[in-house]
Amino acid sequence: MTKGNINVSVENIFPLIKKFLYSDHEIFLRELISNATDATLKLKHLTSIGEAKVEYGNPKIEVKVDKENKILHIIDQGIGMTGEEVEKYINQVAFSGAEEFLEKYKDTAKDSGIIGHFGLGFYSAFMVAEKVEIITKSYKDEPAVRWICDGSPEFTLEETTDKTERGTEIVLHIAEDSTEFLEEGKIRELLLKYNKFMPVPIKFGTKTHTLPLPEDAPEDAVAETEEVDNIINNPTPAWTIAPSELTNQDYMKFYHELYPMQFEEPLFNIHLNVDYPFNLTGILFFPKLNNNLNIEKDKIQLYQNQVFVTDEVKGIVPDFLMLLRGVIDSPDIPLNVSRSYLQADGAVKKISSYITKKVADKMSSLINENREDYEKKWNDIKVVIEYGIVTEEKFAEKADKFTLYPTTDGKYLLWNELEEKIKPNQTDKDGNLIVLYASNADEQHSYIQAAKDKGYEVLLLDSPIIPHVIQKLETSKEKISFARVDADHINNLIKKDEPLIAKLNETEKESLKKSVEEAVTDKKFTVQLEDLDSTDAPFTITQPEFMRRMKDM
Ligand code: ADP
Ligand code: MG
């Protein structure tokens, strides 16, 4: 037997990182800005605990395009690196300075929002650059250094007098095949996609700001303007703020920030906030489900420490909540190295069931807080709730608290209210509750009328998944059964008052029935003689309930 170490040389690994680690070349910018953010957050932490005796100030990150020289600059005012640190953190591939920092300051820094993890992000720069320079000056009183590398394992590192301010400048000499990243429009698009809610202000160019005119200005005075930093991100998005400090307006504002092309207001928001057994924050919105809804484009977005990861959230968010919008931010969602795929993991399941539970709890409190408002919105949210009842056991268990059953005369009943109402009048001989419903108020008008005349409550259940909901309710609840108003077993109900049709004698009934049956040749239907006096329908033709449902499914 031979034992040994597999020799991984950087020469072999470098092209691999460059080519295969990240499927999407554009994420280099996300990675470099994440590093700039980490460097700033580290400084913030070290000054707050008194370890770095420098002024933290109002640091920002700047991104600059120099198209003429084919250079992209990413500049931060964070902790910087000494020469020794560059050797340690940059020259050692797969050594994460972010991890090391979190380990060293684990008692105080676990909520600092540090992003880095795998120690590979920096090298994504070589996907788009043929040469990368790092010019950096540590917050410690040491000379600045310049590191240059052309993507081969060789590099140069030397002291420089070019940088006098604390922080790091990354200079990317963009490769021939990546010149799209020298377009301002492209960079702006990427910043807005990945960095829109990152915690340190990001400057990209300047914009013209019009100064207010003094009060005594003459009428024809022209307002003065000034050039100010164009900050592209909102460093404190609503989901990072405590719900108690947010007004409804703040949530709406955030919704429009998240989906600038969406003009319609959402119906409800659900603020998620958990720190045990995993960390997760976020805000989910119930949109109005109508034709304006662009589910393909405006999806729930997943963030990690305020860095956009993906809007493919299948698995994390249960299927029935995919119709919602909003953000979820969790440092604990296990992603692969390129941060773009979920790793199948028990944690993901836990997160999904937490979200389900949270949504159920929120629905309960919404209906309790303002029943009238909830009833008004029911039509827009019912599909989500009904889908949840059918597909998520945990959700179905809680759903009686917030599922409404609209009646054909405009009332909205909770399950227990419905039960109370129909118990005296709508049972069959075995004591089963029969819930009567119509699926189309116009088409089934005469049946609805007939049932109402007998004092029955008729629900109006018209959404497409209702047959499944009914099946679910019939199996999960005891001694209940649903019948559509035009189905036959409506006649199994024990009626308080004898129907007037009973007043016909047997021969009269027989002959009436016979003539109707002759007219209705289709044997799928049965003819029932009904109470005639208060409907304009002379008799009722019904179809067995099971056949009807087979058709609906
Ligand atoms: P990770 O961020 O996962 O730790 P990276 O490959 O992205 O790994 O970066 C490696 C390390 O290099 C960082 O952990 C950090 O210590 C250092 N570093 C990278 N960029 C900067 C920067 N702008 N300022 C200070 N240190 C940096
Ligand atoms: Mg990094």
Side-chain angles (χ1 to χ4, degrees):
M1 186 175 75
T2 344
K3 268 189 172 179
N5 287 322
I6 292 172
N7 190 350
V8 182
S9 93
V10 188
E11 246 135 310
N12 302 330
I13 236 171
F14 238 56
L16 282 178
I17 293 175
K18 278 172 67 178
K19 270 222 166 72
F20 302 116
L21 186 54
Y22 301 98
S23 49
D24 237 347
H25 283 191
E26 65 182 33
I27 58 85
F28 78 93
L29 190 59
R30 175 191 74 187
E31 291 301 322
L32 295 179
I33 291 182
S34 295
N35 285 349
T37 301
D38 277 353
T40 311
L41 295 178
K42 284 176 190 168
L43 186 72
K44 185 180 187 180
H45 187 70
L46 294 182
T47 51
S48 79
I49 61 171
E51 199 170 311
K53 303 212 179 333
V54 295
E55 194 61 46
Y56 177 64
N58 292 305
K60 59 175 181 268
I61 295 165
E62 183 173 4
V63 179
K64 276 199 294 200
V65 182
D66 176 356
K67 197 171 173 178
E68 205 176 319
N69 295 307
K70 299 188 180 162
I71 292 174
L72 191 64
H73 301 263
I74 295 120
I75 307 156
D76 69 61
Q77 298 160 354
I79 48 168
M81 285 177 278
T82 62
E84 220 172 278
E85 285 164 343
V86 172
E87 296 258 9
K88 179 172 172 189
Y89 298 131
I90 300 295
N91 293 343
Q92 275 193 80
V93 177
F95 179 84
S96 169
E99 289 255 285
E100 186 200 54
F101 186 88
L102 287 175
E103 184 55 33
K104 181 164 173 196
Y105 298 99
K106 61 172 169 268
D107 297 334
T108 51
K110 66 176 186 312
D111 295 328
S112 59
I114 300 282
I115 302 158
H117 184 39
F118 296 106
L120 291 166
F122 171 74
Y123 282 94
S124 65
F126 289 102
M127 296 190 304
V128 300
E130 58 193 17
K131 186 166 87 178
V132 178
E133 293 176 59
I134 303 173
I135 307 147
T136 180
K137 182 164 167 48
S138 165
Y139 74 95
K140 298 166 196 160
D141 199 15
E142 286 194 39
V145 293
R146 179 193 305 268
W147 176 93
I148 304 176
C149 178
D150 62 4
S152 73
E154 282 139 42
F155 65 90
T156 61
L157 178 65
E158 59 186 9
E159 280 186 21
T160 174
T161 50
D162 284 359
K163 194 162 177 58
T164 49
E165 305 276 298
R166 170 193 76 218
T168 301
E169 174 167 0
I170 307 288
V171 182
L172 303 179
H173 298 264
I174 299 295
E176 252 343 288
D177 62 0
S178 300
T179 49
E180 57 175 315
F181 300 112
L182 291 167
E183 301 299 332
E184 273 192 27
K186 181 70 187 174
I187 297 299
R188 182 175 302 110
E189 177 199 317
L190 294 181
L191 292 172
L192 289 175
K193 176 171 173 186
Y194 293 104
N195 312 103
K196 191 159 133 185
F197 299 113
M198 286 189 67
V200 179
I202 301 165
K203 173 186 173 182
F204 187 56
T206 58
K207 61 181 177 192
T208 310
H209 173 72
T210 308
L211 295 166
L213 285 169
E215 267 178 37
D216 57 354
E219 247 176 60
D220 57 351
V222 180
E224 278 189 53
T225 58
E226 61 177 354
E227 284 299 294
V228 293
D229 289 353
N230 179 32
I231 301 296
I232 60 102
N233 57 330
N234 171 5
T236 45
W239 83 83
T240 64
I241 300 171
S244 59
E245 282 169 32
L246 293 168
T247 62
N248 200 37
Q249 243 171 348
D250 294 327
Y251 285 108
M252 293 304 151
K253 196 170 150 238
F254 173 62
Y255 182 78
H256 294 303
E257 232 180 308
L258 200 55
Y259 306 111
M261 301 313 286
Q262 251 318 311
F263 301 110
E264 202 145 12
E265 305 275 278
L267 299 166
F268 301 119
N269 65 268
I270 299 173
H271 201 131
L272 307 165
N273 202 334
V274 62
D275 44 34
Y276 183 82
F278 47 82
N279 257 293
L280 183 140
T281 49
I283 299 174
L284 295 177
F285 294 96
F286 265 86
K288 234 178 140 101
L289 298 176
N290 61 18
N291 300 337
N292 293 335
L293 191 68
N294 190 343
I295 308 169
E296 283 306 302
K297 217 170 129 260
D298 296 331
K299 294 194 278 192
I300 297 176
Q301 302 179 358
L302 176 66
Y303 287 75
Q304 234 173 21
N305 287 323
Q306 296 173 237
V307 186
F308 173 82
V309 175
T310 176
D311 56 8
E312 291 300 333
V313 293
K314 210 168 163 40
I316 302 172
V317 174
D319 278 357
F320 78 101
L321 293 177
M322 296 288 247
L323 289 169
L324 304 195
R325 296 210 178 103
V327 298
I328 289 168
D329 188 333
S330 173
D332 295 331
I333 291 176
L335 297 172
N336 68 348
V337 186
S338 69
R339 295 183 221 253
S340 43
Y341 307 103
L342 281 175
Q343 286 170 352
D345 188 293
V348 174
K349 247 211 108 48
K350 267 197 215 127
I351 288 171
S352 167
S353 74
Y354 165 78
I355 294 173
T356 302
K357 179 178 172 299
K358 188 72 191 185
V359 171
D361 292 347
K362 179 72 179 189
M363 298 330 279
S364 309
S365 67
L366 282 171
I367 192 169
N368 290 334
E369 275 160 27
N370 190 343
R371 172 88 178 238
E372 203 187 322
D373 182 58
Y374 190 88
E375 288 181 1
K376 266 197 222 125
K377 291 169 179 169
W378 177 253
N379 256 326
D380 284 302
I381 63 172
K382 66 183 177 191
V383 178
V384 178
I385 309 279
E386 287 164 355
Y387 191 14
I389 291 175
V390 174
T391 55
E392 289 287 325
E393 194 48 46
K394 284 263 164 343
F395 190 75
E397 280 167 17
K398 295 185 170 220
D400 277 352
K401 289 198 203 120
F402 50 79
T403 306
L404 289 175
Y405 297 88
T407 70
T408 40
D409 31 53
K411 286 174 296 195
Y412 291 84
L413 304 174
L414 283 166
W415 181 260
N416 64 344
E417 295 164 347
L418 175 68
E419 230 173 15
E420 277 311 300
K421 253 204 143 78
I422 65 176
K423 222 185 257 164
N425 207 19
Q426 285 174 233
T427 42
D428 65 10
K429 60 179 183 344
D430 304 319
N432 295 311
L433 274 187
I434 309 289
V435 182
L436 290 180
Y437 71 100
S439 58
N440 185 318
D442 291 332
E443 278 173 21
Q444 294 149 13
H445 172 78
S446 59
Y447 295 100
I448 296 170
Q449 198 50 51
K452 275 191 195 163
D453 288 343
K454 285 178 206 149
Y456 299 152
E457 192 69 58
V458 182
L459 303 180
L460 181 62
L461 304 178
D462 55 5
S463 59
I465 43 177
I466 274 298
H468 302 276
V469 177
I470 289 176
Q471 202 167 51
K472 171 84 196 166
L473 291 171
E474 284 179 341
T475 47
S476 63
K477 294 187 186 300
E478 275 171 30
K479 303 195 89 168
I480 66 142
S481 146
F482 280 71
R484 210 165 83 175
V485 274
D486 51 347
D488 58 356
H489 60 256
I490 180 170
N491 303 295
N492 301 337
L493 293 180
I494 296 167
K495 293 153 195 143
K496 264 208 235 139
D497 309 308
E498 267 304 291
L500 296 179
I501 193 110
K503 289 181 184 152
L504 295 175
N505 68 35
E506 283 309 309
T507 351
E508 281 169 325
K509 272 199 220 166
E510 262 319 297
S511 82
L512 177 58
K513 191 164 187 229
K514 223 172 174 173
S515 51
V516 176
E517 273 169 350
E518 271 162 28
V520 184
T521 46
D522 190 338
K523 288 298 169 246
K524 284 206 297 281
F525 296 93
T526 37
V527 174
Q528 302 287 346
L529 295 179
E530 289 281 331
D531 186 359
L532 303 177
D533 80 336
S534 58
T535 67
D536 42 12
F539 46 80
T540 323
I541 301 167
T542 59
Q543 190 184 359
E545 176 70 9
F546 75 92
M547 289 186 54
R548 231 214 58 255
R549 275 192 218 173
M550 287 199 357
K551 230 175 39 193
D552 283 357
M553 290 204 168

